[in-house]
Amino acid sequence: MRKLLPILLVSFTAFLFLIRLFYLQVLNENYDEVSTNISVRKVYDYPQRGYIYDRNGKLMVGNQPAYDVMAVPLEIKEFDTLELASLLKLTPERLETQLQKAWRYSPRLASLITPQLTKKEYAYLQERMHKYEGFYIQKRSLRDYNVDHSSNILGYIAEVGQGEISQNSYYQSGDLKGKQGVEEQYEKVLRGERGVKHYLRDIHNKNIKPFKEGKFDTLSQKGSDLHLTIDAELQAYGELLLQGKRGGIVAIEPSTGEILSLVTAPSYDPDLLVGRKRSRNFTRLWYDSISKPLYNRALQATYAPGSPFKALTGLVALQEGVVGLKESFNCYGGYSYGRGARMGCHNHPSPVEMVTGIAHSCNAYFAQIYRRTIEKYDTPQKGIDVWQKHMASFGLGDYLGYDLPVGSPGLLPDSDYYNRAYNYPTYKWYASATLSNAIGQGEVLTTPVQLANATAAIANKGWFYRPHIIKSVAGSPIDDEKYTTKQVTTIDKEHFEPIIQGMHDVFNYGTASYLRVPGIEVCGKTGTSENYTVVDGERMQLTDHSIFVAFAPKENPKIALAVFVENGYWGSRYAGRISSLMIEKYLKDEIERKDLEKWILSNTLEDEYAKPYSGEPFKINQ
């Protein structure tokens, strides 16, 4: 019996192994076994990303094939390092670094060695891959841009980092992911779902047949196509007009909140961040700390809003009942207040009331009605908070909630802000301490998209939809309540009529009378904003910013926009001309005022931007 015992034990153990093998190979239907079985190789099928179209169906972003060289560290056999490095156009040191990185990620899983080979490189390398066991080529798709603009809207795709992999189990080493713009915001929609095939391997690591006859295989699913609200032709025209300048343009369709144009300048051709050239080009763009082409001025830059803010100052004063429509104020070149302080004003007819005050952009008029608004209440704190609530209802002082990943809330000060600024209650402060808010030159800061949205709210006589960039996903219009629910301001509808008339008269006889668009009734407001910077530790005043807001037509408006041009002298000089041309381009398609267009295209502000470094003097309040 003792002699039979070892034989029985061995036989029993072999029997158990056979049963287990039968279970694993035939009976087991658990997908977890695929992941733990080292004899199974996963081969991923990466889907095409969704296409991106403009509002009129013009293709802006498609796809092009690309090929990545992958490696599974445990499967690599001895190979000629110098030869493979040469084939991959890598240095031997770089190849070694990539292989070490692959080992650290996982010995058994595939890692990216070099990405995005061209068709020609792929064809040449494919014939030689049999010499390098453990290496293989995986097909992907890269972006193919049909436009050379809109980089700040579209974004780009790049390889995921280790942090992104650890945070999201969907991604693996070498995967591509949307960065910035629409590509980032709508990554889950655009990326689709990758497919996977499982193969049994032999002892030489060769695929011999599908695992479980393909039971666990999945097909890739192409990403959903997006239609943007952007008008590609208007966007391209806006970027053309801002060449040689810095600033932003935001145009919105008032009736829907759809963003028609979102221009930031300087910008860059989105094709620069495609393929293997992406890394060096991104580095160059990133380190350009002077012109900042990666900085989205339309969404992130904050500026004092200047005189366009007077329209809102007038609306709040009317709502608070502190001024009559026909009540007039004299302007003697400005407004004097408290302890010899004085707010200057340019030359214009006097006296003025609400409509003519807007048309002529009278500082003295709006300073006085602002002061009345604050002093209506028992304390300046209460008055400021009431004023702040009205302004906030236009979307100022906070993120608007648009569907792009970057932005700035700007600044809309309340009583707490001024209490801290003036160390209250140690030092008292009064309405006169905040008087610059009346003309958009105080502590208030706005982004171009905020000011464009406020202009759309005026065009709509008291309401707006949140600005958004997506029109439809996979052919279905957006149904997100965030973008389909009206936001109503605190100003009653009847108070908008005189403000709109005043903005219309800006073009009839006011500060932009030479910018009229033939055949279109335009309402607008010029603005000049003081501009400061720090040079060698000293705060210096630079050439003023040029600002303009407008909407058209006056009745049933189709477009509302805000234009900021840094160091642009005064409102109508650059921003006003650009606004006028953008409106003409959108509503009439063809530009009739070729002389105006020629002036903008032939004049740049590069010399102004160089002055902080050249030491040349600035033009202040020209």
Side-chain angles (χ1 to χ4, degrees):
M1 186 65 183
R2 288 181 179 179
K3 293 181 180 181
L4 292 175
L5 184 59
I7 298 174
L8 291 173
L9 288 173
V10 170
S11 299
F12 182 70
T13 302
F15 179 70
L16 289 178
F17 273 110
L18 289 172
I19 292 176
R20 178 62 177 168
L21 185 62
F22 179 78
Y23 170 77
L24 292 176
Q25 297 290 338
V26 179
L27 300 180
N28 182 29
E29 301 295 335
N30 188 352
Y31 180 73
D32 290 341
E33 181 61 24
V34 181
S35 301
T36 58
N37 193 334
I38 62 173
S39 66
V40 176
R41 167 184 281 168
K42 292 181 181 180
V43 177
Y44 291 103
D45 178 22
Y46 286 87
Q48 290 192 34
R49 288 180 76 84
Y51 289 3
I52 301 177
Y53 300 87
D54 85 336
R55 67 186 294 109
N56 300 313
K58 178 181 178 179
L59 179 64
M60 299 180 73
V61 187
N63 296 306
Q64 57 181 307
Y67 306 88
D68 294 344
V69 176
M70 311 291 292
V72 180
L74 274 180
E75 299 177 11
I76 296 175
K77 306 299 182 184
E78 284 192 22
F79 65 93
D80 187 330
T81 304
L82 291 177
E83 182 182 55
L84 182 58
S86 176
L87 287 172
L88 299 180
K89 296 182 180 179
L90 301 174
T91 64
E93 294 76 18
R94 177 62 178 169
L95 177 58
E96 182 62 29
T97 298
Q98 289 298 94
L99 290 174
Q100 291 174 0
K101 181 180 175 181
W103 273 101
R104 289 194 299 270
Y105 171 67
S106 173
R108 290 187 173 87
L109 298 178
S111 287
L112 179 68
I113 301 302
T114 188
Q116 302 161 9
L117 302 178
T118 65
K119 289 181 181 180
K120 185 176 180 180
E121 290 170 332
Y122 164 73
Y124 181 75
L125 186 62
Q126 177 68 9
E127 298 175 358
R128 293 159 178 79
M129 286 303 291
H130 67 278
K131 298 167 60 177
Y132 306 102
E133 289 193 41
F135 293 86
Y136 67 95
I137 297 177
Q138 181 169 265
K139 184 178 179 181
R140 294 184 189 270
S141 64
L142 293 181
R143 282 317 210 181
D144 184 21
Y145 292 97
N146 285 21
V147 296
D148 59 2
H149 55 77
S150 304
S151 57
N152 63 308
I153 296 170
L154 299 172
Y156 59 94
I157 59 174
E159 185 180 347
V160 294
Q162 190 56 48
E164 291 168 309
I165 294 172
S166 61
Q167 292 173 10
N168 191 331
S169 60
Y170 176 86
Y171 297 105
Q172 302 183 44
S173 177
D175 281 359
L176 301 176
K177 182 176 182 288
K179 304 289 180 74
Q180 297 185 0
V182 171
E183 294 280 16
E184 178 180 337
Q185 188 73 19
Y186 289 91
E187 163 68 8
K188 289 184 179 180
V189 175
L190 286 167
R191 76 186 181 194
E193 291 294 329
R194 64 170 174 247
V196 61
K197 293 183 178 180
H198 305 85
Y199 293 96
L200 281 174
R201 298 178 295 178
D202 60 20
I203 59 173
H204 301 293
N205 288 319
K206 303 294 184 183
N207 296 342
I208 53 176
K209 65 176 182 178
F211 179 72
K212 295 283 188 181
E213 298 181 346
K215 182 177 181 61
F216 299 110
D217 294 351
T218 59
L219 296 175
S220 63
Q221 297 180 20
K222 181 182 177 294
S224 297
D225 295 340
L226 300 183
H227 279 77
L228 305 184
T229 62
I230 292 295
D231 183 307
E233 289 191 12
L234 186 66
Q235 177 74 14
Y237 190 61
E239 293 199 13
L240 178 66
L241 296 177
L242 276 185
Q243 282 186 4
K245 310 163 189 73
R246 297 177 189 172
I249 304 172
V250 179
I252 296 173
E253 185 177 63
S255 62
T256 62
E258 294 178 355
I259 298 174
L260 303 172
S261 178
L262 190 75
V263 178
T264 182
S267 190
Y268 61 92
D269 186 337
D271 191 58
L272 290 175
L273 299 186
V274 175
R276 282 191 284 177
K277 64 180 182 291
R278 188 201 72 82
S279 181
R280 67 176 182 272
N281 286 335
F282 183 84
T283 300
R284 176 173 58 83
L285 296 170
W286 176 265
Y287 284 104
D288 184 353
S289 59
I290 296 176
S291 59
K292 300 180 181 179
L294 294 175
Y295 181 54
N296 194 332
R297 286 172 166 84
L299 300 179
Q300 295 174 282
T302 56
Y303 307 92
S307 291
F309 205 68
K310 292 172 182 173
L312 301 179
T313 299
L315 286 168
V316 174
L318 290 173
Q319 182 68 30
E320 289 296 311
V322 299
V323 67
L325 282 177
K326 297 301 181 182
E327 185 177 0
S328 62
F329 294 81
N330 287 309
C331 178
Y332 302 105
Y335 173 63
S336 297
Y337 61 98
R339 296 183 181 180
R342 181 172 174 80
M343 177 185 290
C345 190
H346 60 278
N347 184 42
H348 63 77
S350 179
V352 295
E353 34 72 32
M354 182 67 76
V355 173
T356 56
I358 290 176
H360 293 303
S361 197
C362 178
N363 287 347
Y365 176 86
F366 289 97
Q368 292 177 81
I369 66 172
Y370 170 86
R371 187 168 185 172
R372 285 187 181 183
T373 300
I374 305 304
E375 293 178 347
K376 174 183 175 180
Y377 295 89
D378 295 337
T379 65
Q381 285 86 352
K382 176 63 175 175
I384 281 288
D385 286 340
V386 169
W387 169 86
Q388 195 264 359
K389 181 180 178 182
H390 286 306
M391 294 297 180
S393 73
F394 285 84
L396 304 180
D398 200 357
Y399 296 101
L400 274 172
Y402 46 77
D403 53 342
L404 283 170
V406 298
S408 171
L411 177 61
L412 189 62
D414 57 10
S415 62
D416 287 341
Y417 177 93
Y418 287 113
N419 285 343
R420 293 192 303 271
Y422 290 103
N423 197 18
Y424 180 82
T426 303
Y427 300 100
K428 289 186 178 180
W429 58 274
Y430 302 95
S432 58
T434 67
L435 203 62
S436 292
N437 287 339
I439 60 172
Q441 286 288 177
E443 287 72 28
V444 176
L445 294 174
T446 61
T447 60
V449 69
Q450 287 176 330
L451 207 55
N453 182 71
T455 304
I458 294 173
N460 290 332
K461 301 177 182 177
W463 59 269
F464 63 91
Y465 289 109
R466 292 187 191 277
H468 51 280
I469 205 82
I470 294 299
K471 192 173 182 68
S472 67
V473 177
S476 299
I478 59 167
D479 58 0
D480 191 333
E481 289 185 4
K482 187 176 183 180
Y483 306 117
T484 57
T485 301
K486 276 187 180 181
Q487 309 295 313
V488 181
T489 71
T490 57
I491 309 299
D492 294 336
K493 183 177 180 180
E494 63 266 22
H495 298 314
F496 286 89
E497 291 292 350
I499 301 300
I500 290 173
Q501 184 58 48
M503 294 176 71
H504 185 46
D505 287 342
V506 165
F507 283 87
N508 290 334
Y509 58 82
T511 54
S513 57
Y514 68 100
L515 296 178
R516 286 192 290 265
V517 183
I520 301 175
E521 289 191 305
V522 183
C523 301
K525 185 71 193 74
T526 54
T528 304
S529 173
E530 292 181 353
N531 174 25
Y532 295 88
T533 192
V534 176
V535 178
D536 295 330
E538 291 188 26
R539 187 172 185 261
M540 295 182 60
Q541 186 172 3
L542 311 183
T543 304
D544 295 337
H545 294 323
S546 174
I547 306 169
F548 202 90
V549 301
F551 65 86
K554 181 183 177 185
E555 302 297 331
N556 299 316
K558 299 294 188 293
I559 182 173
L561 77 166
V563 179
F564 284 75
V565 179
E566 296 179 8
N567 301 42
Y569 295 80
W570 64 86
S572 61
R573 181 176 174 87
Y574 278 98
R577 285 179 164 101
I578 290 171
S579 297
S580 180
L581 288 168
M582 289 286 285
I583 288 171
E584 184 175 2
K585 176 69 173 177
Y586 186 66
L587 296 181
K588 301 178 75 172
D589 195 45
E590 294 295 329
I591 300 296
E592 296 177 14
R593 297 167 299 162
K594 295 295 184 181
D595 56 334
L596 187 64
E597 181 183 61
K598 182 179 178 181
W599 191 95
I600 283 291
L601 296 179
S602 60
N603 283 273
T604 77
L605 291 164
E606 297 293 352
D607 288 343
E608 283 294 328
Y609 305 137
K611 286 180 180 179
Y613 312 98
S614 67
E616 292 184 44
F618 302 100
K619 296 183 183 298
I620 310 301
N621 297 323
Q622 294 290 313

